[in-house]
Amino acid sequence: MRVPNYGNTGMVHFVLRRHWIGRIRLAFTLLGLPYTVCTNGVRPAICCSSSPSFRTSQTIRPISSSCVNLYTASAWTMPSSAALHVKSRCPQYPGSKIKRFLVPDDKLGWNQNWPQYNPVSHTDPSVEKKPVWADPDIGSFSAKFNTVDGGVDRTSFDGGYKIEKGKPLNPHGRTGVTGRGLLGRWGPNHAADPIVTRWKVDAKKAKISHSVSKRPILQFVSIKRKDCGEWAIPGGMVDPGEQVSLTLQREFSEEALNSLAVPAPERAKISERISKLFKTPGFQVYKGYVDDPRNTDNAWMETVAVNFHDESGNSVSELPLQAGDDAGQVQWVDVDSSFPLYANHSHLLELVAKERKAHW
């Protein structure tokens, strides 16, 4: 397995960084406080990370789906709004030189009176060019928020959101930027994240356990995003009228296997293997708001993340990974808390590790 090359000096810095971050996290946890850690040199584009904790129980209940079988750990507790809303307030908006208006935790909520709040308005030029995946400007069309608007799902997993001056308000509060930024839709932008995993095994196909936790090590398919250089779970936006189950399969095929560029016979082989894996019961890891650096006051990311596990290692594991679409690189990566990932993807993998009783 190939992993990112930090170099000798970089690796020493990374280990030392984790040492003092761990002490800070422990102190804040004992005090019951949310925490934010910002460093240079680990996350190429975004310099904010947060670690809200999720708690799951062992009771499993099935979830119905017309295309895939899903189940979920029955009870996980969401952290506070502030803890979920850290990367959405990073000082500089990604892909631009736009500086966010600084929003402290106690001014997050829209019910907090704050006359001094003066966020900058920003919509990326790529969105202003009116591509097919983007809404028109407010005022030039009449969106039906909090409902399914034609083929576009404008409902939020968090429930109803407020509308002010014709624009939707981020249900998790202020971000320091108005407009849509890099996002196409006003309001929720729905995505699907397929987390494809396998066990790390030795030459005899026996599971390899971590030297410290003594638990078996999971590996997941990770892509390196072209837009920010961060490693992430492959995924993408749900097309209007598309079932999430189809989005999961399509995005994995396009981003991790480059299915659009391979010859027809190979594409058929990929499709057969993918269909086999995605017909197995999937573990619904998360469904809700995403603390994404692209979020604004008027547009935000929400996702459904589902784990598909190749238990025997004879399904997707045997296919050669090939980066496609928005991916710069793609590889199998060990699931480990020390591996830095985009947005809230580390927390999704933590839930997968707990569900599979694997190392984290």
Side-chain angles (χ1 to χ4, degrees):
M1 184 195 69
R2 182 167 54 88
V3 297
N5 181 18
Y6 293 103
N8 293 335
T9 302
M11 183 57 72
V12 171
H13 170 76
F14 183 68
V15 172
L16 291 175
R17 169 183 173 270
R18 283 194 52 76
H19 178 70
W20 65 258
I21 286 178
R23 292 191 173 190
I24 292 174
R25 287 178 173 173
L26 176 60
F28 273 61
T29 301
L30 291 174
L31 293 172
L33 298 173
Y35 55 85
T36 304
V37 178
C38 293
T39 62
N40 294 320
V42 176
R43 296 182 182 273
I46 306 301
C47 174
C48 285
S49 64
S50 64
S51 295
S53 59
F54 295 83
R55 295 190 297 275
T56 63
S57 76
Q58 297 303 315
T59 305
I60 304 300
R61 66 174 186 267
I63 297 179
S64 61
S65 171
S66 59
C67 293
V68 294
N69 298 317
L70 303 179
Y71 69 93
T72 180
S74 68
W76 46 264
T77 303
M78 295 296 293
S80 69
S81 177
L84 266 178
H85 207 56
V86 176
K87 295 189 178 184
S88 302
R89 292 179 285 161
C90 276
Q92 184 167 321
Y93 192 88
S96 74
K97 296 182 180 180
I98 300 297
K99 302 292 185 182
R100 293 183 186 269
F101 192 91
L102 182 63
V103 181
D105 287 355
D106 62 352
K107 292 294 191 295
L108 266 180
W110 297 109
N111 58 340
Q112 297 293 326
N113 185 34
W114 193 16
Q116 296 81 14
Y117 185 54
N118 186 28
V120 62
S121 177
H122 174 60
T123 298
D124 193 83
S126 63
V127 178
E128 290 182 331
K129 290 179 181 178
K130 301 178 181 180
V132 294
W133 46 267
D135 289 333
D137 290 333
I138 292 292
S140 61
F141 85 122
S142 180
K144 298 177 181 178
F145 294 115
N146 285 303
T147 187
V148 178
D149 184 8
V152 180
D153 185 0
R154 301 190 189 277
T155 63
S156 170
F157 295 135
D158 279 2
Y161 49 87
K162 298 178 181 178
I163 309 297
E164 186 176 275
K165 298 180 180 179
K167 297 180 180 180
L169 294 181
N170 190 314
H172 284 264
R174 299 179 172 99
T175 67
V177 173
T178 61
R180 281 175 290 167
L182 287 163
L183 300 178
R185 303 293 180 193
W186 295 99
N189 288 253
H190 290 287
D193 293 317
I195 306 173
V196 175
T197 57
R198 69 181 184 185
W199 295 112
K200 186 176 185 178
V201 297
D202 59 21
K204 296 181 179 180
K205 303 296 183 181
K207 294 179 185 178
I208 297 175
S209 295
H210 193 269
S211 59
V212 177
S213 69
K214 308 302 181 184
R215 294 195 171 198
I217 299 173
L218 275 175
Q219 294 183 317
F220 77 105
V221 175
S222 179
I223 64 166
K224 191 172 186 179
R225 294 176 61 102
K226 289 181 179 179
D227 57 356
C228 66
E230 292 191 275
W231 289 90
I233 298 165
M237 308 309 296
V238 180
D239 289 338
E242 184 179 40
Q243 291 182 329
V244 170
S245 55
L246 295 179
T247 307
L248 291 163
Q249 185 168 331
R250 170 174 57 80
E251 287 297 330
F252 183 79
S253 298
E254 293 177 3
E255 290 200 346
L257 301 173
N258 199 20
S259 60
L260 296 178
V262 300
E266 189 174 345
R267 192 181 309 129
K269 179 182 178 182
I270 290 174
S271 177
E272 181 181 354
R273 291 288 182 90
I274 291 292
S275 297
K276 178 182 177 182
L277 178 65
F278 280 64
K279 284 180 181 178
T280 62
F283 166 47
Q284 183 172 287
V285 182
Y286 178 75
K287 183 178 182 180
Y289 181 87
V290 178
D291 185 18
D292 192 292
R294 295 169 293 180
N295 291 349
T296 73
D297 286 2
N298 309 122
W300 59 92
M301 289 294 302
E302 299 191 8
T303 195
V304 176
V306 181
N307 173 219
F308 295 97
H309 183 59
D310 186 2
E311 178 68 29
S312 61
N314 61 4
S315 181
V316 176
S317 299
E318 296 181 350
L319 290 175
L321 299 180
Q322 182 178 349
D325 200 22
D326 295 329
Q329 299 177 43
V330 59
Q331 65 189 42
W332 287 98
V333 172
D334 290 0
V335 174
D336 190 283
S337 59
S338 67
F339 193 77
L341 291 170
Y342 179 79
N344 70 336
H345 291 187
S346 289
H347 311 308
L348 301 181
L349 285 168
E350 182 180 4
L351 290 175
V352 172
K354 288 181 178 179
E355 172 66 19
R356 304 289 176 191
K357 296 180 175 58
H359 166 73
W360 174 248

